Amino acid sequence: MPHFYEHINILVMPTDACNMDCVYCFHTTHQSGIDFMSIETVKQILDITTPFYKRVNLIWHGGEPLLLGLDFYKEVVRLQKLASCKITNSVQSNLTLMTPELAKFFADNNFNVSGSFDGVINAKTRGHDNEIMTGRQFVIESGKRCGVIMVVSNLNINHLIESYRFFKEIDVNFSLNLYLDQEDNKKDYLQLNENTAIIKLIELFDYWANDINGNIHISYFKNILDFILFRKKGLCTYTSCMGRWIGIRYNGEIGPCNRYFPAEYSYGNVYDYSSIGDAFESAGFMNLLSKAIIRREKCKACEIYHFCNGGCNNTAMNENGIENNEGLSCRILVSLYKHINDFINNALSSKSQNNSINPLLKKMLNDSIKEKA
């Protein structure tokens, strides 16, 4: 029963159902149905995890997790209070079903809530602009922040700076997820062009970095900056997720994360185990691990390997295969990382005390200097 770490991150998908139909969704291609996770399955998840870790981080995902309703999450919290370790909760939602009552419950019980919104072209990719922003406002009124994920595709790659201005105006931190084609569901009209993506992402970074009135973070950049300045990493994409992250569907099926993987990478079912550690000895886990190791060996010669550690298994699977590197996302990241690293080196060597840069970035630079001193 191996437990490699003191904590575990669990992406819980309590339903495959969703009340939206986003053009790029990776979920509905392979999962469908209206079944919901039972409280018995929630209890089983807690029973096989909480006795073995100091902290269990639950990320409620989907589908749309708010379809389960307030009573479900009240029972979830009741069960969690019986656990023997610390538990944290986050909800990734489309926010259209958020209510003041739900928002207050999540705030009172320390749930972090985030949403999705595709900037100035959201109406073309997700729709429901007003419902999403209303739901987000309920979260804000409960006293919590509510960041969003923006999927970057060919539809909005030329509108990144406009979208930054929009998010800045409403004071919301946002992250960038590059659109990823699934192997059997390619949508050419969404696919990013490598050169265009690199140019536009660098333009956005430079615009943000030189915005002397900047008040929001862009997480995609902040993850790179945190590593360059502080050698800190937290995102699963740039660390080995194996043994740290799992995904659990409504029926208890366990997989590497919330994204689609074929059955050959299944870790089994929560009802198969008395300890989640046994899932890390499953045939599916070992199959994925062995292929990920092959890819990472190939990646070690790359100049940013120390940052990304070979990247995401699911991204690799959909671009060049789990055993291979140098897919589109990889090539974009290498170029962007180099640009940001050069920018930081120039800023740190500047004698002007960086008065003409984003105050959030300036604080990060000053904190780095103090830490090294």
Side-chain angles (χ1 to χ4, degrees):
M1 294 186 294
H3 295 283
F4 306 115
Y5 307 102
E6 292 185 344
H7 71 274
I8 188 170
N9 308 291
I10 306 176
L11 289 149
V12 186
M13 295 153 279
T15 183
D16 288 337
C18 185
N19 62 321
M20 290 177 62
D21 186 22
C22 304
V23 296
Y24 45 67
C25 183
F26 62 82
H27 187 75
T28 52
T29 306
H30 301 282
Q31 315 291 1
S32 62
I34 58 173
D35 291 324
F36 295 150
M37 180 174 282
S38 68
I39 288 299
E40 290 73 21
T41 299
V42 174
K43 184 177 185 301
Q44 178 67 6
I45 292 171
L46 298 176
D47 285 348
I48 66 174
T49 57
T50 57
F52 306 102
Y53 294 93
K54 291 185 178 180
R55 187 176 79 249
V56 173
N57 303 318
L58 299 174
I59 303 95
W60 300 90
H61 213 284
E64 172 48 50
L66 297 193
L67 284 168
L68 277 289
L70 179 58
D71 289 343
F72 173 82
Y73 289 103
K74 284 182 176 179
E75 187 64 12
V76 165
V77 169
R78 185 190 71 79
L79 290 174
Q80 290 180 357
K81 289 178 178 178
L82 305 175
S84 57
C85 75
K86 180 179 180 180
I87 299 175
T88 69
N89 292 280
S90 301
V91 177
Q92 177 64 39
S93 166
N94 64 39
L95 299 177
T96 61
L97 301 176
M98 185 63 68
T99 64
E101 188 179 19
L102 257 175
K104 183 179 186 304
F105 173 81
F106 287 144
D108 290 345
N109 290 280
N110 298 311
F111 280 59
N112 292 316
V113 179
S114 57
S116 298
F117 198 87
D118 292 334
V120 296
I121 61 96
N122 187 77
K124 294 182 179 180
T125 57
R126 300 180 62 79
H128 303 273
D129 293 30
N130 292 335
E131 294 98 320
I132 294 170
M133 285 301 166
T134 299
R136 179 179 176 274
Q137 187 59 34
F138 291 147
V139 178
I140 300 302
E141 290 171 356
S142 76
K144 302 283 282 187
R145 290 191 66 86
C146 183
V148 299
I149 294 171
M150 179 171 77
V151 175
V152 178
S153 71
N154 190 51
L155 294 179
N156 63 352
I157 190 64
N158 292 309
H159 301 280
L160 297 185
I161 291 177
E162 293 172 66
S163 293
Y164 166 70
R165 291 172 181 158
F166 167 78
F167 287 127
K168 177 183 171 183
E169 184 177 342
I170 62 174
D171 188 27
V172 54
N173 296 327
F174 68 103
S175 182
L176 306 175
N177 279 6
L178 303 188
Y179 170 72
L180 176 65
D181 272 338
Q182 298 290 305
E183 287 180 302
D184 55 355
N185 188 43
K186 294 187 180 296
K187 296 179 179 178
D188 292 339
Y189 72 98
L190 295 174
Q191 180 60 51
L192 289 165
N193 173 272
E194 179 179 345
N195 291 333
T196 301
I198 291 170
I199 290 169
K200 293 301 179 179
L201 287 167
I202 287 175
E203 283 180 359
L204 176 62
F205 173 79
D206 288 346
Y207 188 90
W208 172 84
N210 291 292
D211 181 3
I212 61 174
N213 297 310
N215 62 336
I216 62 170
H217 277 294
I218 302 174
S219 298
Y220 187 64
F221 299 149
K222 189 175 185 298
N223 288 319
I224 297 174
L225 291 166
D226 277 339
F227 182 77
I228 292 172
L229 292 170
F230 307 107
R231 286 301 186 261
K232 291 193 321 187
K233 287 196 284 189
L235 192 65
C236 61
T237 306
Y238 305 135
T239 59
S240 176
C241 61
M242 308 295 290
R244 300 174 191 250
W245 290 80
I246 57 170
I248 301 178
R249 292 183 62 217
Y250 72 91
N251 57 3
E253 292 178 1
I254 309 171
C257 67
N258 63 312
R259 297 199 169 206
Y260 169 74
F261 281 85
E264 64 189 290
Y265 303 112
S266 170
Y267 297 179
N269 193 287
V270 295
Y271 290 103
D272 296 335
Y273 306 117
S274 58
S275 165
I276 197 65
D278 291 334
F280 302 135
E281 293 183 330
S282 66
F285 179 88
M286 293 301 177
N287 187 20
L288 181 62
L289 179 63
S290 63
K291 293 183 179 180
I293 289 172
I294 292 171
R295 182 181 77 258
R296 289 183 175 125
E297 286 298 316
K298 296 176 181 178
C299 290
K300 285 183 177 178
C302 176
E303 58 192 293
I304 74 162
Y305 175 76
H306 57 301
F307 168 64
C308 76
N309 289 108
C312 170
N313 290 324
N314 187 266
T315 299
M317 179 183 76
N318 285 292
E319 292 188 334
N320 281 339
I322 293 175
E323 297 162 287
N324 299 307
N325 55 8
E326 297 186 347
L328 176 66
S329 301
C330 172
R331 299 193 301 272
I332 291 172
L333 180 63
V334 169
S335 294
L336 181 63
Y337 183 97
K338 289 178 182 178
H339 178 81
I340 294 177
N341 192 53
D342 289 344
F343 183 98
I344 294 303
N345 288 335
N346 290 334
L348 289 172
S349 62
S350 172
K351 296 181 180 179
S352 65
Q353 301 301 309
N354 307 309
N355 289 323
S356 61
I357 66 173
N358 188 312
L360 297 177
L361 178 55
K362 182 177 180 179
K363 183 180 185 304
M364 294 181 76
L365 290 169
N366 290 338
D367 288 347
S368 174
I369 292 168
K370 291 176 183 177
E371 185 175 290
K372 291 173 182 176

